[in-house]
Structure formats: C-alpha cells, structure tokens
Amino acid sequence: MKTSEVELLIIPGWTNAGPDHWQSRWQRNIKTARRVEQEDWDTPDIGDWVGRIIEQVAMTTRPTVLVAHSCGVSAAVHAAHKLPPGMVAGAFLVAAPDLGALDIWPAIHGGFFPVPDALLPFPSVLVASSNDPACPLDRARAFASDWGSTLIEAGDAGHINTESGHGPWPDGLLRLGTFLKNLG
C-alpha cells in the first residue's frame, strides 16, 4: 500500500501535537492524513477519546491506518476492538507510555489505565526508544508482545517528539512507508 491508497488517521497524545511535531508535519504534507481532534487535549477521558477515534474511522472511505503517538497509542489500543470490522488496515504506534508507572499523566485518571493487553485485530508496529522517559524499553517490548505488534527499536530517541529532536522525523516516515508496503 501507498499513502495515496489509505487514510492516515493521526492520533496525538496528551496535550496534542504542536505544529513542529512529526505528526503535525505528516498531517500537513501527506494528502490522505487527517487528525483525530479531541474535545479536551489537557484532561483526557478514555470514553471521549475512543468515541472520537471510532467516529473518525467510521467516516473513512479507504483502508485506514492509525498513526498514534504516546497517550494516543493508549487510546488507539483501547479503541481497537470497538472499531468497525475490516476498516482498519493497520496501526503505526509510536512511544507508547507506561501509564501504570507514570503518576504524572492525567490520563491515568481519565480511564486510560490499565492499557489493554489483547492482540490487536489488525497488523501493527510499535516504535520504541531505549531512553524514553515515559516507557522503559522492556515495557515497550511487553506491549508489543501483548498486542502482536512488530517492535522497532529506535535507539536513544527519547519520547520521539519535538522535545527529543523529532520534528521532521524522516526515519519515521521511512518506517511508515515500509509498514504500508508490508500491508499490501
């Protein structure tokens, strides 16, 4: 598959992705990408976030690929088994947070924890960093195993966001392209 053959649903995490974040750049530069807008980015509620993902997937007219970052990964995993069957071709998951170990995340209080540990009903990859302050690599490996995701170790990449130097993130775009190619 190519980006022109799918609809990329960008699912940012807590506080949204700023204009320089790789998700925002991809949204601007890939014609088939659009963001799942949440009502409240600062005080997330899992029911609201999952509902928005379900609404957006139901509106797609092409195979859909979820592109989630951080707390958006948690929302996507919570939504996975509630999505219309056959509409999601895959998920490109980046920097999943270990919400059970992070009491700084308001998402814990919004129903995001515990994160489901069931196999996802579609192919997926999980890109994880060896020095992500939000999730140790061994926990990311466990997530990937639980979800049936292919783990891509990104090295010392922090939380793979603007603060860790991943505005454009060309390596991520290449990895997305490889994932799409493997989908079909």
Side-chain angles (χ1 to χ4, degrees):
M1 296 183 147
K2 300 175 186 174
T3 57
S4 61
E5 299 170 333
V6 299
E7 187 147 355
L8 297 177
L9 282 184
I10 306 290
I11 306 171
W14 176 42
T15 71
N16 202 351
D20 292 328
H21 192 283
W22 59 268
Q23 284 185 308
S24 297
R25 290 169 183 256
W26 290 8
Q27 180 184 353
R28 284 192 306 268
N29 295 316
I30 300 172
K31 291 179 183 178
T32 60
R34 65 184 168 88
R35 181 179 309 247
V36 175
E37 293 289 347
Q38 298 296 345
E39 187 79 24
D40 188 346
W41 290 106
D42 298 321
T43 312
D45 174 83
I46 193 62
D48 294 342
W49 280 40
V50 165
R52 292 305 291 250
I53 293 168
I54 293 168
E55 287 172 10
Q56 294 299 307
V57 168
M59 291 173 34
T60 62
T61 58
R62 292 181 268 219
T64 302
V65 174
L66 309 177
V67 179
H69 178 259
S70 193
C71 194
V73 172
S74 301
V77 171
H78 274 280
H81 291 280
K82 298 174 182 172
L83 296 170
M87 293 194 69
V88 175
F92 188 79
L93 311 171
V94 181
D98 184 6
L99 296 175
L102 297 172
D103 57 0
I104 62 168
W105 289 76
I108 294 172
H109 306 292
F112 283 67
F113 183 79
V115 177
D117 58 5
L119 286 173
L120 296 178
F122 37 73
S124 62
V125 298
L126 173 60
V127 181
S129 166
S130 60
N131 66 342
D132 187 342
C135 187
L137 189 55
D138 62 335
R139 186 68 177 121
R141 286 185 182 118
F143 284 144
S145 177
D146 289 345
W147 302 334
S149 301
T150 300
L151 181 68
I152 299 174
E153 295 186 24
D156 293 342
H159 195 50
I160 313 177
N161 58 6
T162 308
E163 289 76 21
S164 64
H166 295 86
W169 197 32
D171 187 52
L173 197 52
L174 289 172
R175 292 179 189 275
L176 174 65
T178 300
F179 176 63
L180 292 176
K181 182 179 176 184
N182 291 335
L183 286 179

